Amino acid sequence: MPDSNPEDDQTPEEQFQELIRQLFGGAGGQVDPEQLARLSGMGIDPAMMQTVMRHLQGAFSGGGDEGISWDLAKRQALHIANQDGLVVTDGQRTDLDQAFALAALWLSEATTISELATPPRSLTRGGWVEATLPVWQELAEPVATSIADALTAALRDQAPEEMQGLIQGAGRLMRTVGGSLFASQLGQVVGNLSKEVVSGGDVGIPLMPDGDAVILPQNFADFGRDLEIPDDQLALYIATRELAHARLFRHARWLRLHVISQITDFARGIHVDTDALEELASRFNPSEPEELRRALESGALLPTRSEAQNAALTRLENLLATIEGWVDVVTDAATARLPSADRIAEAVRRRRAVGGPAEQALSSLVGLELRPRRMREAAAMWRAVTDAVGVAGRDSLWDYPDHMPTAEDIDDPAGLVARLEARARGEEPAPDEMDDALAKLLAGEDIGQAPTEGGAADDSGADASDADSAASDEDGPAGPDDPRPV
């Protein structure tokens, strides 16, 4: 009669109890990494497995922290990023250094925003992971915490009566398991993304520290493989675009916080679909967590976005489009000498509009698509501004948050141009509704009860709500003291 594995005869509840006993009781706390891999679904790197084990042991024993294991995400991302074992060669570094040097000269003719204080550089995929993971952690933490907390509650609610004592005693462990699964998935996404991005600003958000411009030679070669465009032209265009992006965020130091805060505000509004999670937990086998992993990957645990989240996403997309549109216009002007500039620009825009597999996985994981959907409209606005007030007048709109164009300016570039031309002539622009409301407020009038031209004010406060709605659609920094451009 063939030998049978005793574990095969155990129920999922018994397997889970046995795992708990091995982790924190018998065998001196030693665990077979293969068994732990079945729990976590992450059996890739033995060193990473030991990190998971220590984290789980600390959670159960009362030692260690109760948060997400971001070290696990880093290990996972670096393991994927460094799989090919490629490094930046001296030839690649020299070619890109020369491209950056010429791009800096061309860019200085296309914008008044000053050069970077630190020289641009070539970066490996692993180096990109190391440099950008703190931002990914900041963006993903609200969702990770929500999923971990919801998993803990759902498993506790669904556990059989005979396991309630164990579940209560291992509550922190349950939360850590969910957090570790999420951290592993984030690590996989960031690791795979490191194999797709070409430059520091490729994703469209400020992942690199301010003033840091980088290109990943390993991915640059993949990007240009099917374009049939000379490598030197591709390098010049990508270097110019990367420098423009880095210069903008170094110049407008408030812009980085503005973008990150809008993303984290969106993420904090995400709540796990409790019904979906409870339904998953009712059939969840702790020793075979593939279904939970698939649910995390697909975004099945994230419910449909609320109206407030859709509004927040619209504001974020307008902001990213405003940034990308400026980068597009400046890059196009700086690279006008390149014979293939138009073809490269279209390839970059198409790539940004579609995104790669890893970026799509990020969307499923945190419910956020980083797509500048109105980039062409924003670029048209920046071109109109440039034609009207020149390069210096255009770039001065990044000097202060209240000068930055809004979503309404993307819709109506003519209105923005008229205001800028009036300002250039020293004329005071005509006051708008917000100016009138502010003047009444400063004069001590009750603007909510002020009569309208057609009769008495609406007691429902519709005017005020309309003003709030208009203000919420602005792309500039939010807040009651936020000055708007006039």
Side-chain angles (χ1 to χ4, degrees), residues 107-108 111-117 243 246-248 250-251 395:
L107 198 59
S108 294
T111 177
T112 59
I113 292 180
S114 60
E115 295 188 29
L116 302 178
L243 285 177
R247 282 192 187 189
L248 176 59
R250 179 177 179 269
H251 172 80
D395 293 346

Side-chain angles (χ1 to χ4, degrees), residues 192-208:
N192 287 319
L193 196 57
S194 75
K195 300 163 74 171
E196 295 179 8
V197 296
V198 175
S199 62
D202 203 9
V203 180
I205 59 177
L207 295 172
M208 301 296 297

Side-chain angles (χ1 to χ4, degrees), residues 19 73 135 139 199 230 232 235 244 258 279 310 350 371 421 462 466 470 473:
L19 180 62
V135 178
L139 302 185
S199 62
D232 57 345
H258 188 30
E279 195 273 333
N310 283 330
R350 186 166 57 248
R371 302 263 66 83
E421 289 177 333
D466 287 345
D473 288 337

Side-chain angles (χ1 to χ4, degrees), residues 16 20 24 55-63 65-67 145 147-157 159 163-180:
F16 186 63
I20 295 296
F24 311 110
H55 195 72
L56 297 181
Q57 289 172 329
F60 187 82
S61 64
D65 64 82
E66 194 178 347
T145 302
I147 288 178
D149 288 343
L151 178 62
T152 303
L155 291 178
R156 183 184 298 117
D157 293 342
M163 287 185 64
Q164 285 300 322
L166 173 65
I167 296 297
Q168 292 297 327
R172 297 181 68 205
L173 168 66
M174 305 294 285
R175 184 180 187 281
T176 304
V177 167
S180 295

